[in-house]
Amino acid sequence: MRLDLSRNVAVLAVGAIAAGGLAAGPMSPAAAAAACNVQYSVTGQWPGGFQSSIVIKNLGDAMSTWTLSFALPNGQNVQQSWGGKVSSSSSTVSLSNLSWNGNLATNATTSAGLIGSGDSTVVPSDFALNGKSCNGGAAPAVNAAVPVSDPKPASSVSIDT
């Protein structure tokens, strides 16, 4: 009986590759990377209350549902929302997508708004999209409306005619 050395080496190589793959175990699916940027703006204010706008930009993988959580400053409460469903417990708010705005592609934005009570000069903090910190852990980009005070009187100008 003649041994075919090249055939035996090939069979051993295939067996080693197959065994190595089994030893590694099954591959688990990768979790979607989440990164985001939040812009929070106070768009209106009155004594004891405010209106704000929130723009969420998805910098991670596309998602079919989202929840933005954030911490309200002491004394603030959310009274009403649009563009998202609000639930809150103590000082933490969760703003979840509605049926029409759940899909958020990479680099896409969505917006929502709130009407709240409390001091509007202190903005929420600790924004997180689907549990992942937004803005690199830094404070959100804020465009706060400044209350309008009485304008200063214009300087006198004399015009010679």
Side-chain angles (χ1 to χ4, degrees), residues 60-151:
D61 294 340
M63 54 187 72
S64 59
T65 61
W66 54 265
T67 298
L68 181 73
S69 62
F70 52 94
L72 283 178
N74 192 22
Q76 282 188 359
N77 290 297
V78 175
Q79 308 294 317
Q80 194 175 6
S81 68
W82 57 94
K85 179 182 175 187
V86 169
S87 62
S88 62
S89 62
S90 68
S91 65
T92 302
V93 173
S94 292
L95 179 68
S96 300
N97 66 274
L98 299 173
S99 61
W100 54 269
N101 67 351
N103 290 324
L104 199 54
T106 301
N107 291 320
T109 61
T110 190
S111 59
L114 305 173
I115 292 181
S117 62
D119 182 5
S120 65
T121 63
V122 184
V123 298
S125 61
D126 301 327
F127 287 88
L129 183 62
N130 291 350
K132 301 292 183 177
S133 182
C134 293
N135 302 330
V142 177
N143 302 317
V146 178
V148 176
S149 60
D150 291 332

